[in-house]
Amino acid sequence: MDASTRFDAAVLDARRRRAAEALDLHDEILLIAAGEPVGLPGGMDQTFPFVSHAEYFWLTDREEPGAVLAYDPKDGWVDFVPEVTERERVWEGRDVNEPGTVPTRDLPGWLAARRGRAIVPLGCELPGVRGDALRAAEARERFTHARRPKDEAEIARMREAIRATEAGYARLREVIQPGATERAIQIELECAFFRAGADRACYGSIVGAGTNAAVFHFTPGRRAARAGELVLVDAGAEVRRYGCDVTRTYPASGTFSTIQRELFEVVRRAEERAVAACVPGAETVDVHLGSCRDLVEGLVALDLLRGSVDSLIEREAHLLFYPHGIGHMVGLGVRDASGPLPGRPKRTEPARKNQRTDFPLQPGYTMTIEPGIYFIPAILHDPDRRKRYPDCVNWDKAVSLIPLGGIRIEDDVLVTKAGPENLTAAIPKEFAV
């Protein structure tokens, strides 16, 4: 990464202070390893694109294979980085190490001077270094929680990624039509990301037409969208390791059928209400529960589910059509600092156990909100589920809608003291007719 695009030193210093306060180390030594390149199978000297471990990157803003950030609560932070080799200068165009860093060859001596003190390892595994696994797990939980509120520099970088993402979705208006393949749609989408300044896609772009729209992590292929079908696109751009996560579901022919429109409005209402619920102090599991109630209410109105909303959720009937959580944290990667509040046990309640995050929202948190309704063959054709829910599902209607696939709408929300800010609101949920 070009030093001119790096976060200011003051930003990184503030994060290191925040991390040190959260970890509350007294005599232990903290080591955060960036990781090593992973070789391509059979690829000789080729490797997968290297990215530093998120815990290392958050404190350094640096992609540095083999680097280690060390912290001694008595002496402060030390940046150990491998010296740039001649081979790297010739083959990769790398320059000399940054001022203020220390060669990693000095790390063993630094550790030897602190022999006998416990080591807390974070980041990637560091060969030859042993630490207390229980203490490391506790430290990671605290460190993850400390990373959750985004500072202004992180939000600014996310906004850059969102602008590139907006350009990609704007291109879809011209691309999505009957006959366009999922792969062709992906290519045009990602090309627009790059033209607008993205470094790469934040994650593997999902483009699913027809029944493929019901596959959560579908890899786009050669299937062409057909007239009357839906096309679900879940993709986001990334700029200097910060990205976004957006989903839209568009009709291939430009207009929804009656049932597509009815289901789309159920999902849109649930999404808008969940976005509005992202206020400081709100529990993420309760935001998810609210989305379950909104979706079940809509499915009952459409005679896909039958019974009271509370009873259907208690029986977990909503999982037939909505088998995932409302969202997760996003920012430094697509799954950024998710998980529970430190010390909080895993939820087991029917409407809350599928949610990936479990903590009260605070200003600076950036969350995805992504409700959906799906008609998944593996679920709807399962005989055990048929036996479990003989009376509360209109099975004939549900099965008849399998060709529809699924509808998901997803935005990224910044929690502020003044209320939620939908960071991706400018990306249209419908094409203008």
Side-chain angles (χ1 to χ4, degrees):
M1 182 181 296
D2 189 330
S4 65
T5 64
R6 295 266 304 279
F7 290 131
D8 290 340
V11 169
L12 298 178
D13 287 344
R15 290 183 196 169
R16 294 183 184 192
R17 287 194 298 272
R18 195 199 309 178
E21 182 178 345
L23 294 174
D24 192 27
L25 302 177
H26 297 284
D27 192 54
E28 306 101 319
I29 302 300
L30 176 69
L31 298 178
I32 307 178
E36 298 286 350
V38 176
L40 288 170
M44 301 297 286
D45 61 348
Q46 293 181 304
T47 66
F48 289 100
F50 177 78
V51 291
S52 297
H53 194 287
E55 292 168 347
Y56 175 87
F57 190 89
W58 187 68
L59 293 171
T60 65
D61 201 25
R62 185 189 297 123
E63 307 285 19
E64 193 73 64
V68 178
L69 180 63
Y71 176 67
D72 180 340
K74 299 175 182 177
D75 300 320
W77 299 88
V78 182
D79 287 280
F80 290 99
V81 300
E83 288 187 281
V84 177
T85 66
E86 180 181 281
R87 177 180 175 81
E88 288 171 324
R89 292 173 182 165
V90 172
W91 286 85
E92 301 172 23
R94 296 193 64 187
D95 204 344
V96 296
N97 294 113
E98 291 182 28
T101 60
V102 177
T104 50
R105 65 168 182 267
D106 293 347
L107 177 58
W110 188 88
L111 290 172
R114 294 158 177 79
R115 185 177 290 110
R117 295 167 64 182
I119 293 176
V120 178
L122 290 180
C124 290
E125 182 179 352
L126 194 58
V129 173
R130 291 186 179 182
D132 184 317
L134 189 63
R135 182 69 180 90
E138 177 192 8
R140 170 158 283 136
E141 191 174 47
R142 290 187 176 202
F143 187 75
T144 297
H145 191 61
R147 289 203 302 112
R148 283 176 176 147
K150 300 290 178 290
D151 55 41
E152 291 183 4
E154 291 180 287
I155 293 170
R157 199 173 280 183
M158 285 184 68
R159 292 187 193 277
E160 288 186 62
I162 289 167
R163 283 192 289 272
T165 302
E166 290 173 3
Y169 277 85
R171 176 70 177 130
L172 294 185
R173 179 67 183 89
E174 305 166 13
V175 174
I176 292 180
Q177 57 185 308
T181 66
E182 297 160 337
R183 178 64 171 155
I185 294 169
Q186 175 198 9
I187 290 169
E188 294 300 322
L189 173 81
E190 294 183 1
C191 282
F193 286 172
F194 292 125
R195 291 190 185 103
D199 297 323
R200 56 179 162 243
C202 188
Y203 50 96
S205 297
I206 299 164
V207 180
T211 54
N212 293 338
V215 182
F216 297 148
H217 290 169
F218 185 76
T219 300
R222 296 180 179 179
R223 187 192 188 284
R226 303 182 185 114
E229 287 188 330
L230 297 176
V231 178
L232 186 150
V233 179
D234 184 340
E238 183 178 291
V239 174
R240 298 190 292 283
R241 287 291 299 275
Y242 282 80
C244 61
D245 187 358
V246 178
T247 307
R248 296 290 186 262
T249 308
Y250 298 122
S253 301
T255 56
F256 291 109
S257 70
T258 300
I259 187 61
Q260 289 171 350
R261 166 61 69 185
E262 290 171 336
L263 289 164
F264 179 84
E265 292 300 339
V266 170
V267 176
R268 174 152 64 181
R269 178 176 181 272
E271 201 251 4
E272 290 173 349
R273 286 168 62 90
V275 168
C278 292
V279 297
E283 291 281 351
T284 54
V285 291
D286 290 336
V287 177
H288 173 66
L289 175 59
S291 72
C292 293
R293 294 185 60 85
D294 288 333
L295 293 175
V296 169
E297 184 179 281
L299 291 168
V300 169
L302 293 174
D303 192 34
L304 281 158
L305 286 175
R306 294 167 175 170
S308 73
V309 172
D310 289 339
S311 174
L312 289 165
I313 292 175
E314 182 63 29
R315 294 177 63 183
E316 301 186 328
H318 64 290
L319 297 179
L320 297 169
F321 302 98
Y322 179 39
H324 62 73
I326 189 63
H328 50 83
M329 298 203 81
V330 65
L332 179 48
V334 70
R335 295 276 189 270
D336 183 20
S338 292
L341 189 72
R344 181 174 282 183
K346 183 173 177 57
R347 302 273 186 165
T348 58
E349 305 98 312
R352 293 181 170 90
K353 65 184 183 182
N354 273 9
Q355 177 54 24
R356 289 192 181 98
T357 58
D358 185 7
F359 43 71
L361 295 173
Q362 300 297 333
Y365 285 20
T366 46
M367 301 289 302
T368 69
I369 294 295
E370 48 182 308
I373 293 175
Y374 313 90
F375 301 92
I376 303 171
I379 292 177
L380 297 181
H381 289 315
D382 176 36
D384 291 336
R385 289 182 173 88
R386 293 287 190 113
K387 292 177 182 178
R388 183 177 178 183
Y389 303 108
D391 58 336
C392 63
V393 180
N394 185 339
W395 288 104
D396 289 342
K397 185 172 183 178
V399 169
S400 75
L401 292 174
I402 286 176
L404 182 147
I407 296 173
R408 181 167 66 253
I409 302 173
E410 176 184 18
D411 283 302
D412 299 345
V413 180
L414 170 64
V415 181
T416 77
K417 293 180 181 178
E421 179 188 351
N422 187 339
L423 296 172
T424 51
I427 298 174
K429 293 181 173 63
E430 293 189 67
F431 293 145
V433 179

